[in-house]
Amino acid sequence: MQPDASLAQADVPTTPPNTDAHDLDSVYRNLVHGVGHEHVTDDNVEELIRRAEADNHPVLAAELREWRSPCGDDSATPKRAS
């Protein structure tokens, strides 16, 4: 029996290898496309949240606030402990 073509593995988006983790624009561009979360840090999360809010990406802003929060909620906690 042949496997059903509809069950074939879909292409999963991945972070481009040329991403500059130290360049906020590069990190933000990837986040907007659903990749690059591994480049979010305590040092850049606040600016990334501001940009997401300014660019009307409320889901991305909420995800970044959750990342920042020590317990995974959407609180206004400034940063999680390092």
Side-chain angles (χ1 to χ4, degrees), residues 9-80:
Q9 185 175 359
D11 289 333
V12 177
T14 57
T15 305
N18 63 344
T19 300
D20 181 355
H22 302 290
D23 176 34
L24 194 67
D25 292 331
S26 181
V27 173
Y28 182 73
R29 254 189 321 274
N30 287 328
L31 290 171
V32 168
H33 289 99
V35 296
H37 293 86
E38 67 273 19
H39 297 299
V40 176
T41 67
D42 287 336
D43 294 332
N44 67 15
V45 69
E46 296 300 325
E47 182 59 27
L48 290 168
I49 291 169
R50 282 191 286 279
R51 289 201 46 190
E53 290 171 340
D55 290 347
N56 200 27
H57 290 290
V59 173
L60 177 57
E63 288 174 349
L64 290 164
R65 283 192 299 273
E66 288 174 6
W67 181 94
R68 173 189 66 191
S69 171
C71 57
D73 64 12
D74 190 14
S75 68
T77 306
K79 288 186 181 181
R80 61 182 173 180

